[in-house]
Amino acid sequence: MTLDGQSQRQALTAAERAIEALGRADAAAARSAVDTAVEKDQVGLFAALADAVHLAATQLDEDGALTGATWDFLADAVGPGPLQGLVESVRSA
């Protein structure tokens, strides 16, 4: 497989959109964006995030809000780096 930097960048952008959608309590948009991230991801960076986003989206559908534990799970799923900073920023907004 030939790696394509543009596809990987699109995957990162979609992952960012998924996190932002969770911050807006938009479960459908979060699911859609993370599915795009996984589809475009060529190196497997976003598999754990996909699981966390789908869990969070289900919690939004059922409870209307995310718990602190779910935000922690999301932060752990992305690992250290810019996406973790985004999770923390969206969480505290």
Side-chain angles (χ1 to χ4, degrees), residues 22-34:
L22 291 174
R24 296 189 310 273
D26 188 341
R31 284 186 184 101
S32 177
V34 83

Side-chain angles (χ1 to χ4, degrees), residues 28-83:
R31 284 186 184 101
S32 177
V34 83
D35 290 347
T36 298
V38 169
E39 177 186 321
K40 298 284 187 181
D41 184 11
Q42 298 178 325
V43 294
L45 288 177
F46 302 114
L49 176 62
D51 292 342
V53 168
H54 281 281
L55 174 80
T58 298
Q59 187 174 69
L60 283 174
D61 287 340
E62 293 174 357
D63 303 332
L66 299 182
T67 64
T70 301
W71 282 113
D72 291 344
F73 187 60
L74 282 161
D76 289 345
V78 297
L83 286 180

Side-chain angles (χ1 to χ4, degrees), residues 12 15-16 19 46 49 74-75 78-88:
L12 175 60
E16 292 167 343
I19 294 165
F46 302 114
L49 176 62
L74 282 161
V78 297
L83 286 180
Q84 193 172 70
L86 179 60
V87 169
E88 294 304 325

